[in-house]
Amino acid sequence: MLIVENISYAYADTQVLENIHFSLAPGELLSIVGASGSGKSTLLKAVYGLFDLPQGKISWKGTPVLGPAYNLLPGFPQMKYLAQDFGLMPYMTVEENVGKYLSNLDLPKKRARIAELLEMILMQDYAKVKPIFLSGGQQQRVGLAKALAQAPEVLLLDEPFSQTDSFLKHHIRQNLFDFVKEHHITTLIATHESQEALGFSDKIMVIKEGKQLLIDTPESVYYTQNEYIASLFDIVNKLSVQGEPRLYYPHQIHIVPQSCWQVEVEQCFFQGGYYLLRCKAAQGTIYVKHTESVEKEKKVCLEIGS
């Protein structure tokens, strides 16, 4: 089990992490979400042992994860960390980068492992290409395969799909999470793609200005009544229900034939599978998801659903 106990860290006089605490069982996947500069990347570096902590401690299966003051080479042997610079050797080929730390004692096994990982990241046609001739997104995918080559027990990923084209991202992401689940790899992902974290995470942690606001299941985090957290996942409507302030996403408010809540449609935005309506109401601006286009200035009736 990965256990992080009340860790804190500061750069100079700036507090970057403050009393972060959580635990993960082998094979669990945690997404860390928050605004830019909230401490997501620093938390991954701390877990990997890249710096010494003035407060708190980290352990994996009972073994302490210690910083550079205790290790000649920083990092923890059972973990692999993919930073945003990818860590590739520019004049080695893609397959050489992926297999850099694999043993040459069994070359057929090594080649099979490299082929498996290149297929997972959809880079099998680029095995003989050097990273200097690849796009940033392709380099990022090679870095991911390299991190997985030695089958780590813990995988730390910092924005692993930030440069990947959207039409490939869904396929590669699904391949990755099938892989880590199949091999029971405990995985931590720092991501700004909060909405996408909902589908593959066992747990989601939300941090703000270095402080841990919430860690829970995706469903519980998504339906929180904390405005900052909810706004990371979608537009938030703030309403008063029976005198109590409540938060609702656009999909929780429906157009109905008749109700006592009438609004005027200000704008209708096509979003692919639905239309997003911006409406003017007595309570202020209300956003509603609807299956059909609605003309501007039309009056419609709303109700709160599930």
Side-chain angles (χ1 to χ4, degrees), residues 122 164-172:
L122 306 181
T164 303
D165 296 329
S166 57
F167 68 94
L168 290 174
K169 184 181 300 183
H170 302 293
H171 190 177
I172 295 170

Side-chain angles (χ1 to χ4, degrees), residues 21-24 30-31 203-206 212-217 221:
H21 56 279
F22 63 91
S23 62
L24 292 175
L30 171 70
S31 288
K203 296 177 182 177
I204 293 177
M205 174 193 289
V206 180
Q212 177 179 328
L213 299 186
L214 179 65
I215 180 169
D216 211 329
T217 63
V221 172

